[in-house]
């Protein structure tokens, strides 16, 4: 039976969802091999626990992730399936060798991508549809306008954004109602606090925060001697390199002391911190296994008071992390970092 979890609303126009969402990317790509059966079981466990927001991208392993999620939804109990909210990113162009090429957010491409996503997911509508990155060749008004037409036609319920800055957010919101901005936000990725978060709050736009555990770096499970396998993009991520890794894991050691005092895990403290930043924020956790999902859900039972928050701030101050969150080539595509 599906459990009731605390809920939050994504902005003033978006859907109401459980206070914690599930990011499905790692079930297909970028973190090394994953167990398909366990991945589907994890989606089912999330739905059974009351999680509603399921996030994917049509370019995650070139459609593999959408097909996996489609299978998970198709084989889930009807009641759980009906409560599920699909959040889909589009626009990244891939090669057959897995290469990342560029982005395409032209109106005709938007509709083409949506048609394929609906088929792979096995659904008649997408709950939140969003460009993965800003296409520098296409005005955001055109992209959002195309999604708005899909809303009018019933193929999409809400329009979202991903990794864009304050100016782009304003232009998008002037074109059509925006439910939420998906963007990285964690104890060691706090760039949105300067101008992006104030802008979304001014405009009544919610935040779905991904990378709340910084791809496992601040989960409490990543060790200094861990070897990353082939296909794990963290092997190229600046924060996981050499002295940067040592420095960042020193921060985790400080966070672990606070977690132990609270009777919680490091991951639960890190997730609870993001959730405590505002009722307009829904953390996404990238659990690939049921045990990690269970741990993440435990964060909803962690209450951080003013003393706790001050201790966390002292242990991991803003801008304390060493290294950028993406390699330079990928950072260049982030409108949110300009």
């Amino acid at each position: 039976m599906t459990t009731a979890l605390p809920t939050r609303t994504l902005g003033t126009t978006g859907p109401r969802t459980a206070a914690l969402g599930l990011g499905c990317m790692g079930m297909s790509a970028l973190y090394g091999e994953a167990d398909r059966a366990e991945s589907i079981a994890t989606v089912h466990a999330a739905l059974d626990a009351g999680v509603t927001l399921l996030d994917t991208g049509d370019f995650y392993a070139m459609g593999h992730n959408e097909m996996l999620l489609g299978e998970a939804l198709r084989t889930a109990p009807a009641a759980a399936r009906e409560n599920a909210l699909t959040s889909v990113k589009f626009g990244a162009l891939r090669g057959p060798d897995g290469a990342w090429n560029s982005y395409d957010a032209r109106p005709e491409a938007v509709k083409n991508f949506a048609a394929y996503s609906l088929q792979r997911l096995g659904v008649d509508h997408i709950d939140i549809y969003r460009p993965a990155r800003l296409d520098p060749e296409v005005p955001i008004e055109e992209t959002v306008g195309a999604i708005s037409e899909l809303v009018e036609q019933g193929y999409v319920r809400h329009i979202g954004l991903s990794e864009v800055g304050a100016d782009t957010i304003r232009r998008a919101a002037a074109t059509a109602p925006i439910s939420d901005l998906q963007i990285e936000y964690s104890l060691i990725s706090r760039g949105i606090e300067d101008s992006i978060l104030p802008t979304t709050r001014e405009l009544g736009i919610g935040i779905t925060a991904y990378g709340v555990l910084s791809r496992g770096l601040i989960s409490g499970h990543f060790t200094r001697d861990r070897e990353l396998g082939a296909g794990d993009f963290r092997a190229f991520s600046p924060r996981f390199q050499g002295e940067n890794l040592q420095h960042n894991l020193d921060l985790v050691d400080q966070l672990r002391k606070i977690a132990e005092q609270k009777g919680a895990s490091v991951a639960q403290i890190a997730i609870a911190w993001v959730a405590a930043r505002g009722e307009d924020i829904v953390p996404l956790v990238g659990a690939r296994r049921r045990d990690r999902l269970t741990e993440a859900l435990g964060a909803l039972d962690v209450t951080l008071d003013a003393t706790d928050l001050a201790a966390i701030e002292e242990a991991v101050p803003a801008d304390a992390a060493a290294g950028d969150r993406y390699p330079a080539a990928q950072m260049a595509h982030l409108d949110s970092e300009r």
Side-chain angles (χ1 to χ4, degrees), residues 8 19-21 185-187 209 211-214 218-219 255 265-277 281-287 292-302 304 312:
R8 294 183 172 185
L20 193 71
Y185 189 37
S186 73
L187 269 168
V212 293
L213 298 178
S214 198
I218 59 172
S219 67
L255 194 60
S265 72
V266 174
Q268 288 169 344
I269 292 294
I271 297 167
W273 181 89
V274 174
R277 304 304 281 180
I281 299 173
V282 175
L284 294 173
V285 295
R292 293 286 193 255
L293 172 67
T294 298
E295 180 184 24
L297 288 169
L300 297 176
D301 297 322
V302 176
L304 300 176
I312 292 170

Side-chain angles (χ1 to χ4, degrees), residues 26 28 44 69 92 100 115 125 132 141 170 222 242 248 273 285 287 309 317:
S28 297
H44 288 169
L69 182 54
W100 296 84
H125 71 272
E141 291 87 351
R170 290 187 184 280
F222 202 92
N248 294 330
W273 181 89
V285 295
L309 292 171

Side-chain angles (χ1 to χ4, degrees), residues 25-50:
M25 179 187 75
M27 297 176 180
S28 297
L30 299 179
Y31 292 107
E33 292 187 10
D35 184 315
R36 186 181 184 87
E38 178 62 21
S39 295
I40 291 173
T42 300
V43 174
H44 288 169
L47 292 170
D48 189 57

Side-chain angles (χ1 to χ4, degrees), residues 45-59:
L47 292 170
D48 189 57
V51 172
T52 51
L53 187 64
L54 305 174
D55 183 76
T56 184
D58 64 8
F59 50 89

